[in-house]
Amino acid sequence: MVKPVRLLVVGALSALIYAISSAPAEAQISYGGEPPSFTVPLTQQAPSEVMPPVNEAVLLMEDARRPKNQPFRFGKSFPVALNFTNSGAWEDLPNGARLWRLRIASRDALSINLTFSRFHVPDGAELYIYNDDHSHVLGSYNALNENPDGRFATEAVLNDAITLEYMEPSWAEFPGELEVCEVVHAYQEIIVYIIKGTGSPKAAGACEVDVNCPQGVGWENEIDAVARILTGPYLCTGSLLNNTANDGTQYFITASHCGTLGSAIFYFNYQRSGCGTGTAPLTQTVQGSTQMVVDTTIDYRLVKITPAIPASYGVYYAGWDRSDVAPSSTACIHHPAGDPKKISHDYNAPSKSGNDWHIVQWDVGATEGGSSGSPLYSVAHRFIGQLWGGQSDCSYPYHDYFGRLAKSWTGVKAYLDPLNTGATSIAGLDPNACPSPSNYGTGETGSTGTVALVSASGEPTVGNPSFYIVLAGAKPNQFCCMLSGESQASVPYSWGTVLVGGPNYLRTYSATDGSGGCSINIPITSGMVGLTKYYQYVARDAGFGGDVQASNGLIVTFCP
């Protein structure tokens, strides 16, 4: 709602740095380490750039009057152009590396975050950002953080002065380029709680319900699709969406008024581990996106998140429904006031109002500043619109408006229906789910008039002792042979066609039972996770096809 509040390959060395980094495994936008100045004596202080004074009282009064179709600020944005040429100072280190430092101060800021118009650094270079007492350190950032458009952004650092520290090794292939284009002075106290990863008593209202409360049961997939957005001085919410190719393209939708998201930071799984209890991790982030389409009238923005979202985040791509038929009830998953993720329910059908779905009254929870762009899901768990405005909060849980997907379809169709299927709705996609075994090719009809078909029994997961490759439709009480390979094939023989190819072309013999079935157990080890195998059966059938009847093929991917 207008309510924001409050892998790129860059060389073998960078890949190695990423692989051995001491940063937490979940930290996608930084790679650990320690600023060199913390241990190496330097001869000069970092020069300071001081931002203009901020009248927080005036800003808060402005915020109170801001219409619902504009973002809610948590900070004051200062446009700047600070780079290696016009600010900071260089110093040589004993090991031959060069160090550039710049201190940025904004009096009484609760925190400072930055946007870069240029971020292009060589392998081995590192950027750190920290406050004066070194109690809050971000980084390192390196070549792996580059985005195609050259822009970059950082999370907020506590306190009213921060230092940028850039180290470039003597062997760098080219001189790096950095330019800060925006300094954000946080004046809303909520930012302190957000940085610390806890909910704020001054943030979301008491009626808001954590997604790990009973009201979130059954919505786990959709919860995993929703992320909080930090862009400049604003916070919003949005959702990943599936497309008809089911290919995991990282499409993400929010409200257009949340601003351009080229440098946005997306926080996944920022939610309490319990119902009103537990911590909320801030480490599962990615940064940067490419805009696909935007419409200010219906107030939506569809982007493609640039870096690969790590599988460990366990994200989900929500299904959608553009039929424009009002569902009997709806749910909204969001980050009100930038808080850990919440869920709200309306147990009545929404009405239509212009281009919007109109929620007359929430039965559970509400929405607030920071909920802007959050998804409205139908009772069938399909995305039907994004929050752009309304009057709702905990004291008045009435009258919220979501742009209807049916009205946005002309703009988003090319992305959400790339196969041009004409589908009016699709299911969601769990990219980390174990895919079901699937068939390919055609089985032969043997002398008994039945078709030889191969299938799987049980889940192809590690430790499952009951996973079998099963044959049906062969001649009873005959020998069968299971073929296994690493690829599909189509190799004709006088007795039939082999549908699996090497390497690791295996044969396992068994016998069909009295019904013409054959079942062979496959032990699954941890070393098989992620592997895809192709299986086929051939069975003895005297007098048919060179005495052999061949089945169709089966594709199996092994999972944890």
Side-chain angles (χ1 to χ4, degrees), residues 230-244:
L230 170 67
T231 176
Y234 307 118
L235 289 167
C236 280
T237 305
S239 174
L240 289 166
L241 291 182
N242 192 19
N243 69 83
T244 56

Side-chain angles (χ1 to χ4, degrees), residues 247-289:
D247 59 5
T249 300
Q250 297 176 170
Y251 292 134
F252 187 92
I253 195 164
T254 187
S256 68
H257 71 255
C258 290
T260 59
L261 304 183
S263 303
I265 299 174
F266 302 88
Y267 294 78
F268 290 96
N269 300 313
Y270 180 55
Q271 58 209 49
R272 289 191 179 92
S273 55
C275 179
T277 62
T279 58
L282 283 163
T283 54
Q284 297 188 15
T285 63
V286 290
Q287 186 270 324
S289 70

Side-chain angles (χ1 to χ4, degrees), residues 48-122:
S48 290
E49 293 284 343
V50 180
M51 297 299 104
V54 172
N55 190 328
E56 296 177 0
V58 170
L59 292 172
L60 289 169
M61 285 191 295
E62 290 176 356
D63 291 339
R65 296 192 298 266
R66 289 171 71 86
K68 293 294 186 179
N69 60 350
Q70 292 183 13
F72 192 104
R73 302 172 298 196
F74 70 84
K76 168 68 174 176
S77 175
F78 292 108
V80 295
L82 305 175
N83 54 49
F84 292 152
T85 302
N86 62 20
S87 57
W90 289 95
E91 188 163 348
D92 293 330
L93 298 182
N95 64 1
R98 297 196 309 155
L99 195 70
W100 177 83
R101 291 183 300 151
L102 169 66
R103 184 175 180 268
I104 298 175
S106 189
R107 184 176 178 179
D108 295 329
L110 298 174
S111 70
I112 295 174
N113 58 289
L114 307 173
T115 303
F116 291 75
S117 57
R118 185 66 175 158
F119 184 97
H120 180 51
V121 300

Side-chain angles (χ1 to χ4, degrees), residues 319-328 352 357 378 380 382-385 404-409 422-426:
W320 44 260
D321 184 345
R322 66 177 183 91
S323 68
D324 218 23
V325 176
S328 60
K352 293 179 182 178
W357 292 115
S378 70
R382 303 287 195 268
F383 171 89
I384 60 172
R404 299 192 335 252
L405 178 60
K407 294 295 185 179
S408 309
W409 187 249
T424 56
S425 67
I426 65 170

Side-chain angles (χ1 to χ4, degrees), residues 204-208 365-368 392-397:
C207 74
E208 305 291 7
T367 65
E368 305 180 42
S392 170
D393 60 27
C394 280
S395 65
Y396 186 81

Side-chain angles (χ1 to χ4, degrees), residues 163-203:
T163 296
L164 287 73
E165 182 168 320
Y166 170 77
M167 186 279 296
E168 190 169 280
S170 59
W171 44 264
E173 294 183 1
F174 59 86
E177 298 176 63
L178 295 179
E179 181 165 270
V180 178
C181 64
E182 179 182 40
V183 175
V184 177
H185 167 125
Y187 59 86
Q188 295 277 15
E189 189 170 308
I190 180 179
I191 198 69
V192 176
Y193 297 93
I194 289 173
I195 293 171
K196 293 179 178 180
T198 61
S200 167
K202 296 185 178 181

Side-chain angles (χ1 to χ4, degrees), residues 205-488:
C207 74
E208 305 291 7
V209 178
D210 283 324
V211 292
N212 281 320
C213 290
Q215 294 87 340
V217 172
W219 294 91
E220 291 82 3
N221 284 335
E222 292 70 36
I223 289 166
D224 290 341
V226 174
R228 189 181 70 183
I229 310 164
L230 170 67
T231 176
Y234 307 118
L235 289 167
C236 280
T237 305
S239 174
L240 289 166
L241 291 182
N242 192 19
N243 69 83
T244 56
N246 285 293
D247 59 5
T249 300
Q250 297 176 170
Y251 292 134
F252 187 92
I253 195 164
T254 187
S256 68
H257 71 255
C258 290
T260 59
L261 304 183
S263 303
I265 299 174
F266 302 88
Y267 294 78
F268 290 96
N269 300 313
Y270 180 55
Q271 58 209 49
R272 289 191 179 92
S273 55
C275 179
T277 62
T279 58
L282 283 163
T283 54
Q284 297 188 15
T285 63
V286 290
Q287 186 270 324
S289 70
T290 301
Q291 182 169 291
M292 301 292 101
V293 61
V294 62
D295 188 317
T296 57
T297 300
I298 305 173
D299 204 345
Y300 74 86
R301 187 183 305 271
L302 183 73
V303 302
K304 182 168 68 175
I305 293 177
T306 306
I309 301 171
S312 59
Y313 290 10
V315 301
Y316 183 79
Y317 295 81
W320 44 260
D321 184 345
R322 66 177 183 91
S323 68
D324 218 23
V325 176
S328 60
S329 64
T330 56
C332 174
I333 299 170
H334 55 116
H335 288 280
D339 244 18
K341 199 179 298 177
K342 312 295 183 185
I343 187 166
S344 301
H345 290 281
D346 175 15
Y347 297 134
N348 300 286
S351 61
K352 293 179 182 178
S353 174
N355 294 322
D356 306 322
W357 292 115
H358 176 200
I359 301 297
V360 176
Q361 179 179 359
W362 293 105
D363 296 295
V364 174
T367 65
E368 305 180 42
S371 301
S372 278
S374 56
L376 185 68
Y377 294 122
S378 70
V379 67
H381 295 236
R382 303 287 195 268
F383 171 89
I384 60 172
Q386 75 291 335
L387 181 65
W388 70 266
Q391 301 171 343
S392 170
D393 60 27
C394 280
S395 65
Y396 186 81
Y398 302 97
H399 304 305
D400 271 336
Y401 297 89
F402 295 76
R404 299 192 335 252
L405 178 60
K407 294 295 185 179
S408 309
W409 187 249
T410 300
V412 302
K413 176 182 182 296
Y415 309 102
L416 301 188
D417 188 14
L419 302 184
N420 199 28
T421 66
T424 56
S425 67
I426 65 170
L429 171 69
D430 182 351
N432 301 305
C434 192
S436 299
S438 59
N439 290 108
Y440 66 98
T442 304
E444 294 180 323
T445 303
S447 62
T448 61
T450 57
V451 180
L453 299 174
V454 63
S455 62
S457 175
E459 293 291 327
T461 54
V462 171
N464 179 12
S466 302
F467 180 71
Y468 292 84
I469 306 297
V470 179
L471 171 67
K475 189 173 182 179
N477 303 313
Q478 301 293 313
F479 284 108
C480 68
C481 172
M482 186 183 73
L483 311 179
S484 172
E486 301 284 329
S487 62
Q488 292 189 34

